[in-house]
Amino acid sequence: MNYNWNWHIFLEPNPMGTGTYLDLLLTGLVVTVKVSVLAWIIALVSGSVIGVLRTLPSRTASWIGFCWVEFFRNMPLLVQLFLWFFVLPELLPRSAGLWLKQLPNAPFWTAAIGVGLFMSARVAVQLQAGITSLPRGQKQASTALGLTTVQTYRYVLLPMAFRIILPPLTSEFLNTIKNSAVAITIGLIELTGEARSMQEFSFQVFEAFTAATVLYLLLNFVVVTAMRFLERYVAIPGYITGK
Amino acid sequence: MIEINHVNKWYGPTFQVLKDCTTSVAKGEVVVVCGPSGSGKSTLIKCVNALEPIQGGDIVLDGVKVNDPKTDLPKLRSRVGMVFQHFELFPHLRIIDNLRLAQEKVLGRKSEDATAKGMKLLERVGLKEHAKKFPAELSGGQQQRVAIARALAMDPIAMLFDEPTSALDPEMISEVLDVMVDLAREGMTMMVVTHEMGFANKVADRVIFMDRGEIVEDAKKADFFGTPRSDRAQKFLSKILQH
């Protein structure tokens, strides 16, 4: 293989005039962090609501939960992003579609919402599993004390359910970060996107993607470490994962 | 205080768990419900505060019809204490917070008042020094005493006990029964599902014997232990009093 390795490329100025190639990648990293965090918030909030709906005795509630989860988990993420980005504006009334297309930063918002909704289905299923894994008597005891259903979830069921599903939730957070890379297909220049443009400008493809890989690893390491601290912080003395 | 009139309950379309059950518990009365497993005694007691719905008949609690859709169930339940077989303390809350939760969220008591009330009741069940611990750090007997204190913190007009000693090691049963005996002697209205015939003999006013969803025998304590009229009750008694 005829390849000129050049690890100094990162310190050379990029053709965009925004500093070095490293700066280019770091700009991409910031976009990745922003879009992932926003997507994760959307996934956590909507996933939690849907997860709770799936555990309620009401038929309507569990039907809504069922539809939501099956819609968002049974379609490839790529297809979902295309749907929101290319198809949705065409389906809306002309003026609304136009407004949507002209939104500043449309790829960013589409990616955050698209990835967020995709991940929400997974959060919902996990939270449902967490809630149903609690002894049935917990809900009965809370109800017998006079707490309403909302209070029972807020003060009794959810604090335990979230503690139980914290380890798998960490994986889902990492998946959200990795899935955000799909957003280059709708024109979001995040970390993977910047690595690709670095490759196109400099032809140093291996260096570019090695750097991107290392940055993803570092980012995920930060998340894993933070989640481990959180797990320790919320651990209950004497109970399962507690010390 | 508690009136149960011709109550019928089905699980699914065919399986009838309660068959035309009629009985009552007067103010200050202690009624023990016994019978073989699967006889419906736990189900019956859970119908009293509407943890389980009924399909036929009426249950009236202190003049309020439990199975009336217009009844404010959380409010009604907050006036009746319930103790479960598996304690059902909330594992993520400290002992004192277990006692405070419903006082504050349901009765709207101030934090200081709820804490003071909680500490007083913990002292009464002999667990004051454990107030800051988590449930998993306590023994089964201690947890059940906390559960009784948690129910008493709501100033209930009656107490329901659903096999309160069935999940306990033998040496812990008496510490729980002692608390219950004291309660009964103070004039608390109690409905107790239990196999502890010693307890029934000591404090019960009446004993109800259930089998296959029916109330087979409903008699004054002396009559029940003297000459139970039904064969089934006689057989049951001879089996559990054998050893």
Side-chain angles (χ1 to χ4, degrees), chain B:
Chain B
M1 182 67 74
I2 304 171
E3 283 158 60
I4 299 170
N5 300 320
H6 304 287
V7 165
N8 284 295
K9 178 176 174 61
W10 284 265
Y11 281 136
T14 49
F15 182 63
Q16 193 170 5
V17 264
L18 295 179
K19 293 172 197 158
D20 198 35
C21 293
T22 299
T23 187
S24 67
V25 182
K27 192 169 189 307
E29 204 177 18
V30 177
V31 173
V32 162
V33 185
C34 63
S37 54
S39 59
K41 53 198 191 307
S42 282
T43 307
L44 180 69
I45 203 170
K46 280 178 181 157
C47 291
V48 172
N49 59 354
L51 286 184
E52 295 277 356
I54 56 173
Q55 279 84 41
D58 278 325
I59 296 179
V60 181
L61 222 160
D62 195 30
V64 183
K65 202 168 140 190
V66 175
N67 52 314
D68 184 339
K70 276 176 274 176
T71 300
D72 181 357
L73 279 179
K75 193 176 167 197
L76 186 66
R77 288 177 181 130
S78 73
R79 300 175 64 211
V80 188
M82 184 152 199
V83 176
F84 295 82
Q85 183 176 1
H86 295 288
F87 333 134
E88 305 301 350
L89 297 180
F90 307 135
H92 60 294
L93 297 178
R94 290 175 196 277
I95 298 305
I96 186 65
D97 296 331
N98 260 280
L99 270 75
R100 281 174 48 207
L101 181 68
Q103 287 190 70
E104 290 176 24
K105 304 299 173 195
V106 179
L107 302 181
R109 284 185 188 151
K110 283 202 205 108
S111 173
E112 313 90 85
D113 299 346
T115 308
K117 177 100 190 169
M119 289 308 289
K120 215 170 99 189
L121 285 162
L122 281 180
E123 188 169 11
R124 174 180 174 164
V125 297
L127 294 167
K128 201 179 166 192
E129 65 277 21
H130 297 288
K132 294 274 180 214
K133 288 190 180 169
F134 286 90
E137 297 175 295
L138 266 54
S139 73
Q142 291 172 329
Q143 288 191 49
Q144 194 62 299
R145 278 144 67 198
V146 172
I148 295 173
R150 180 175 69 179
L152 291 176
M154 305 295 283
D155 293 321
I157 53 169
M159 289 281 286
L160 308 172
F161 292 84
D162 184 13
E163 303 207 31
T165 57
S166 300
L168 293 174
D169 288 339
E171 74 263 34
M172 292 175 185
I173 290 177
S174 66
E175 65 184 59
V176 172
L177 289 181
D178 285 346
V179 173
M180 291 169 60
V181 168
D182 285 348
L183 210 56
R185 295 209 166 129
E186 282 168 26
M188 175 63 79
T189 309
M190 291 162 70
M191 189 167 174
V192 186
V193 174
T194 186
H195 293 139
E196 295 295 332
M197 287 304 130
F199 171 81
N201 216 342
K202 210 187 245 177
V203 294
D205 296 302
R206 276 182 20 246
V207 180
I208 292 171
F209 175 76
M210 289 184 72
D211 192 19
R212 285 174 224 163
E214 281 173 279
I215 293 180
V216 179
E217 185 118 12
D218 183 348
K220 289 234 162 66
K221 174 178 70 184
D223 296 341
F224 184 80
F225 287 112
T227 48
R229 278 146 290 181
S230 69
D231 284 356
R232 280 185 282 180
Q234 267 174 17
K235 255 187 214 157
F236 177 78
L237 272 183
S238 71
K239 269 185 197 153
I240 65 166
L241 294 176
Q242 212 166 37
H243 300 286

